[in-house]
Amino acid sequence: MPYELKRVFASLPQMERGVAKVIGGDPKGNNFLYTNGKCVIIRNIENPAIADIYTEHAHQVTVAKYAPSGFYIASGDASGKIRIWDTTQKEHMLKYEYTPISGKVKDIAWTEDSKRIAVVGDGREKFGAVFLWDSGSSVGEVSGHSKLINSVDIRQKRPYRLATASDDTCASFFEGPPFKFKFTLRDHSQFVNCIRFSPDGSRFVTAGADGQIFIYDGTTGERVGSLGGEKAHKGGIYAVSWSPDSSQLISASGDKTVKLWDVGATTAVTTFNLGSDVTDQQLGCLWQKDHLLSISLSGYINYLDKNNPNRPIRTIKGHAKSIQCVTVHKNEGRPYIYSGKTGENDCFSGKGHSNQVSKIVTDEANELVTCSMDDTLRYTSISKKEYSASDVVKMDFQPKSVSVGAGGLSLAVCIGQIVLVKDKKKVFTLDNLGYEAEVGVLHPGGTTAAVGGADGKVHLYSVQGNTLKDEGKALEVKGPITDMAYSNDGAYLAAIDDKKVITVFNVADGYSVKNEFYGHHAKPVTLAWSPDNEHFATGGMDMLVYVWTVSDPDQRLKIPDAHRLHHVSGLAWIDAHTLVTTSHDASVKQWTITY
């Protein structure tokens, strides 16, 4: 059984209020780069659905920048580590690794010959370093600041100049190589968030929390002006990006706007308004070829339209936090993937769950049924795509799992309680179970409910009208049950346990054991049946996904490192040959499986 990764639905940038987000551009103009968690995400600027994810950092990655050659990317993390890796190969081979500073890396800059790198951020003994990319040998000293450095840039023409911007309200100007401190620029009154040379090297600008943008001569470092008279923006400015021809630049601000400036005239040509909500604050921007991108606090990536400044050409939405669960639903024959995270969702209007969504399924009435740590079940119409208040069923205890069956039935397993819900009303509750229920599933025929326990048993109940009757029958597995599912035709029940064993029961044969499956080397946490009822997939804390064959435990497909360095949190099938996986790396991946 071979497999092939077909699509990666990448996560959004991870954003933090009041913290600038550096977006890296590809010198060829095809891709852009940002970070989320321990991942660097590379996306095609024309078609952002084309994405690649680099996951080799052990700590949270903060910034990534292409070398001007386009062959390498340097990425820096919260521990001060810099990794320099190949962009041309799918494997992204590591070329060099250094730890130039002892704290979080905030920005990276390369010289135009791709031979030297400047790194700045937080640290104990110093806030920056500049060194040869292939040996790590120092080529100067980044000094002159009393607090962490937010931003660094290097003039892309000779004579080289290096400039830095810091929380100490100052910028510093250096000549080199070897780079030596020349003088301090004291024009800002608050944190300086960003410093950038124009592509032609004639100018550089600084942008600060005081709403000011100052312009300096690129060779001498002398101040030559400021943008927008008294202030460039009403709020703090987090990022600037120059036009390729060096005549204009864009700036991103906490005032929820991006401005396009004519640098020669020092005036704003266009103001892009991106909303009125706090999540519409603009924390990053990139001008690449004809594309003007900005990043909102929400993580949304906006493609700005010069001709219509109040409406972006497109906005990329998605997950910025780890994904807990996933389901696939066919709408008019087309599969749609729904994944669950915390709170607001970009595909549905209205208020969603207020806490983490722990399980998500679809019912026969074209509804998404979700259960959440906010102690509710929620029924959301897929066709209407809005969360409506009438469709919330409040539970007495936190639900861990939800399953749907025929005839409007849902089964919720809560902490200490099993609840049968019919047509969105609670009709039956079982307490005092004598075991801790972890997960419940309704047989597709609607006659049986199976509940998996922390006691290592599957407890069977018959559904009689609106009640559950304990059949006094328990199926033994090897350990506490983490997930269970009936095959779509109801012929089999599969259970996974934290002893890393998968047990499949034959329903028609009085739930006799059909087969046991071994292979995971850490706890499996999620399971999904293929529509062919012959295969099922499991995913675990070992970052592995297996596709198993019911009739033959030895015939299995292993997808190692499905989501590198992140465990698999959800699985769903689009069809018998297409599997979707989700993970705590906030990405969704689609795989083609051939038998």
Side-chain angles (χ1 to χ4, degrees), residues 1 32 39 52 222 224 248 348 364 414 558 571 574 585:
M1 283 196 277
F32 64 101
C39 306
D52 192 5
E222 278 173 70
V224 293
Q248 296 180 308
F348 292 95
E364 50 188 22
C414 303
K558 178 179 175 181
L571 296 167
I574 289 180
D585 66 7

Side-chain angles (χ1 to χ4, degrees), residues 136-203:
S137 310
S138 173
V139 285
E141 202 175 316
V142 180
S143 56
H145 289 292
S146 59
K147 287 189 175 156
L148 70 91
I149 301 175
N150 291 310
S151 188
V152 63
D153 204 18
I154 296 173
R155 185 172 190 256
Q156 295 295 293
K157 297 267 184 303
R158 290 178 183 271
Y160 287 157
R161 300 289 184 260
L162 183 150
T164 54
S166 165
D167 267 7
D168 63 11
T169 77
C170 299
S172 295
F173 188 72
F174 302 77
E175 292 178 1
F179 291 99
K180 290 191 181 67
F181 172 79
K182 275 299 189 224
F183 49 81
T184 300
L185 309 167
R186 304 183 192 276
D187 296 305
H188 287 279
S189 59
Q190 289 183 44
F191 299 162
V192 194
N193 290 321
C194 188
I195 195 159
R196 292 292 180 256
F197 281 91
S198 58
D200 67 6
S202 65
R203 298 275 185 265

Side-chain angles (χ1 to χ4, degrees), residues 477-493:
V477 296
K478 301 289 186 273
I481 293 172
T482 55
D483 200 11
M484 285 196 313
Y486 278 104
S487 57
N488 306 312
D489 60 3
Y492 301 113
L493 172 66

Side-chain angles (χ1 to χ4, degrees), residues 435-436 439 441 443 448-461 470-486 490-497 501-516:
Y435 65 94
E436 191 182 339
V439 55
V441 286
H443 188 273
T448 308
V451 178
D455 59 354
K457 294 187 174 82
V458 178
H459 302 263
L460 297 178
Y461 300 85
D470 189 344
E471 288 295 293
K473 179 165 178 155
L475 316 169
E476 299 270 348
V477 296
K478 301 289 186 273
I481 293 172
T482 55
D483 200 11
M484 285 196 313
Y486 278 104
Y492 301 113
L493 172 66
I496 51 181
D497 63 50
V501 183
I502 303 143
T503 311
V504 173
F505 300 95
N506 185 335
V507 174
D509 189 30
Y511 287 88
S512 62
V513 174
K514 168 82 175 167
N515 270 316
E516 288 177 349

Side-chain angles (χ1 to χ4, degrees), residues 393-410:
V393 182
K394 187 85 179 89
M395 296 285 142
D396 303 329
F397 302 99
Q398 182 180 309
K400 299 183 187 183
S401 146
V402 62
S403 169
V404 293
L409 280 182
S410 311

Side-chain angles (χ1 to χ4, degrees), residues 43-96:
R43 293 183 92 152
N44 181 299
I45 202 158
E46 300 284 348
N47 179 6
I50 301 170
D52 192 5
I53 304 179
Y54 178 79
T55 61
E56 301 294 319
H57 278 270
H59 297 90
Q60 182 181 352
V61 200
T62 45
V63 58
K65 290 273 189 80
Y66 273 94
S69 68
F71 297 138
Y72 293 96
I73 288 169
S75 50
D77 68 26
S79 73
K81 188 164 278 177
I82 296 288
R83 292 177 72 92
I84 301 167
W85 40 281
D86 182 288
T87 59
T88 59
Q89 313 288 317
K90 203 74 189 128
E91 294 73 46
H92 300 308
M93 297 299 292
L94 180 69
K95 188 79 175 160
Y96 302 107

Side-chain angles (χ1 to χ4, degrees), residues 101-153:
I101 56 176
S102 59
K104 181 185 284 195
V105 176
K106 299 277 284 186
D107 202 7
I108 297 169
W110 293 76
T111 50
E112 44 77 39
D113 60 5
S114 299
K115 292 199 164 87
R116 300 168 194 83
I117 297 178
V119 172
V120 300
D122 205 355
R124 283 186 289 280
E125 52 294 318
K126 58 179 180 176
F127 302 115
V130 56
F131 53 90
L132 292 172
W133 87 293
D134 55 357
S135 66
S137 310
S138 173
V139 285
E141 202 175 316
V142 180
S143 56
H145 289 292
S146 59
K147 287 189 175 156
L148 70 91
I149 301 175
N150 291 310
S151 188
V152 63
D153 204 18

